[in-house]
Amino acid sequence: MVNAEMSQATLPNLTGIVDANRRTDLVMAGIGISVLIVAMSLLAAVVIDLIVGGWPRLINPDFYLNFPSRHPLQAGIVSAWVGTILVMLVTAGIAIPLGVGAGVYLEEYAARNWITDFIEINVSNLAGVPSIIYGLLALGLFIHGFGLGETILTAGLVLALLILPVIIVSTREAIRGIPLDLREAAYGLGADKWQTVRLYVLPAARSGILTGTIVGLARAIGEAAPVITIGALTFIAFLPPSPIQSSPPFINFEWLESPFTIMPIQMFNWVSRPQAEFHINAAAAGVILMLMTLAMNGIAIWLRYHLRRQIR
Amino acid sequence: MKIPVHFAMTAIALTITASASTVSARDLVKIDGSSTVFPITEAMAEEFQKAERGKTMVTVGISGTGGGFKKFCRGETDIADASRPIKESEITLCRENKVAYIELPIALDALTVVVNPKNDWVNHLTVEELKKAWEPEAQDTVNNWNQIRSSFPDRPLKLFGAGTDSGTYDYFVEAIVEGKSSRGDFTASEDDNVLVQGVTNDLNAMGFFGLAYYEENKDKLKAVPISWKGGKPVGPSVEHAKNATYQPLSRPIFVYVNKDAVNKKPHVKRFIEFYLNNDNAQTLVREVGYVPLPSKAYTMALNKFTKGLTGTVFHGAEVGVGIEELLARVPQ
């Protein structure tokens, strides 16, 4: 009785609260949409500007197959895009196993003490270090210390270092998101720690780890500063040796030691040339670099989709 | 999961195989240095590789004149591009590492002083007036056009110039301020297009950069004729740089060649012979917006190269002396 009376009395009030909340929702949605529109139109403006600026070169197949040249209309990006793909292969090949391994260790195995805390703080801080610092480190350590030279291997190493913190942190977040029940079920069946991690935790965390990897690799593909610091070349009219050969052992690693250039450096060089025709080339190269990033993300998203389906 | 990963890897591998050719057993010429000299060396490298039918590979980097010399004097490169003569510290570094070098001027650049095209009060400037605007003492005190010449209007002075790491800056400062540095409060950029933009959009601006950037942007800029030692004002142009009347701002630019590399690698020798060939130099240097040396200077430089004369004559040379006269001197 008392309850019924109370609800009678507060009912009009409740409607008021609901209405007010609806209004707030509407305003928030409005703000959200306008923020999104501003962000997207800025991005669209950049993309459209690049596409319109670079269009005459984008539709010319020679642009993708020619080497750099002093004639803007004959200059192409073949050495740059091949260099970028090879450097990214090295970067992914080093950063993913190292980053995931470190993430698994820190999350699953490391003892909870001050050393682990210290490492954790440093890993998070490394993610904020300017990329040029990594370039200087690579110049001192890899080139002058280890004598690796200005090669694809060195560039892959420095970019791998650069994105390592991102991969470590996202691996840990992904692992932390796995329900405790899964582990307990595995332990209950008699699995040891490594079996649990390998067979249950990592597969379940795959899509989260993959997201972190995409973010990391997308950052690496556009980086110019650390690669310029280690001395990537600007004019290079030949390609590294092919990683695959027709005679046994079919795979060779000579390309790792080859001089190279990458897309952002080629763009940088064209932007600073006096002739306006080179600026068209730079815009076109920018569009291709974005497409390459998009393609890389596309592969990762597709992989993630298939992995998710498999888990179910 | 296995199938998609495998498929992606194969796709990437196929792309690479399809595009890559083998480089094994080809000869390499390694060049690094000034971004000012880069367009010329790039043109030479492009044509040289064509002439050699892919037998020789040439790589050109842009670490700047200073960065290029650091690598060159450590023996990491065969050739250094330089937009100024070698410095004392670099000479010492080369000596410590026992790198003997041959100094070869390969073209001229006319440093161009520019103002906004709507600027109607400047029709020429003297070197002394430029010095007033750019010397270190001018910092925070010379901020108005009428402080340069009293007949100029009362307008703020905005300065744009090459970055302090560049050979272009070093040469401008040496020729105008006659010291090692200028004032620090000007807009500096390593990218000359930024300076072009700056001067184009500011009525009160004055800037300097290489002739090629002025020639490509003639409609957006006004070049200032320069009067030196009380002489008649001379405007920057290919002709005036070549006949040595545009002084003191026309400067030689160089390549420095490692003598050891020349002796051991015949392809490095062939590349330099190609570079200094008078026909090649006259057409290619002009094509990329620079001023070729007089024909006689290329012959003299080639002669010096063939004889293998190491050392420098341009380091510490007085401003305004002709290329031929300098080339005839015995290197130190």
Side-chain angles (χ1 to χ4, degrees), chain B residues 106-154:
Chain B
I106 44 108
L108 294 170
D109 188 15
L111 279 189
T112 306
V113 176
V114 293
V115 293
N116 190 281
K118 292 209 183 83
N119 176 322
D120 54 3
W121 59 90
V122 175
N123 57 4
H124 82 279
L125 285 167
T126 67
V127 170
E128 292 72 35
E129 285 164 346
L130 281 173
K131 187 178 177 183
K132 254 188 235 170
W134 286 94
E135 64 190 351
E137 292 75 28
Q139 180 145 350
D140 299 326
T141 57
V142 179
N143 294 319
N144 200 301
W145 276 95
N146 64 17
Q147 285 171 285
I148 301 176
R149 193 189 292 170
S150 49
S151 60
F152 284 163
D154 175 19

Side-chain angles (χ1 to χ4, degrees), chain A residues 68 76-77 79-81 83-84 87 150-151 155 158-159 220-236 259-273 278 281-282 285-286 289, chain B residues 38 42 60-63:
Chain A
I77 54 170
S79 43
W81 69 256
T84 291
V87 169
E150 292 123 7
T151 58
V158 61
L159 292 179
I221 199 173
E223 275 293 345
V227 188
I228 287 185
T229 316
I230 64 167
L233 297 150
T234 311
F235 175 82
I236 177 160
F260 69 102
T261 190
I262 56 171
M263 297 285 290
I265 292 178
Q266 186 63 66
M267 279 181 68
F268 173 69
N269 174 251
W270 279 337
V271 165
S272 57
R273 298 289 278 259
F278 278 116
N281 287 2
L289 182 58
Chain B
F38 176 82
E42 181 196 43
V60 193
I62 36 172
S63 300

Side-chain angles (χ1 to χ4, degrees), chain A residues 69-71 234-235 239 271-272, chain B residues 19 23 46 60 193 213 287:
Chain A
S69 164
R70 69 180 182 287
H71 303 294
T234 311
F235 175 82
L239 292 172
V271 165
S272 57
Chain B
S19 59
V23 284
E46 193 182 349
V60 193
N193 287 316
Y213 288 85
E287 216 180 292

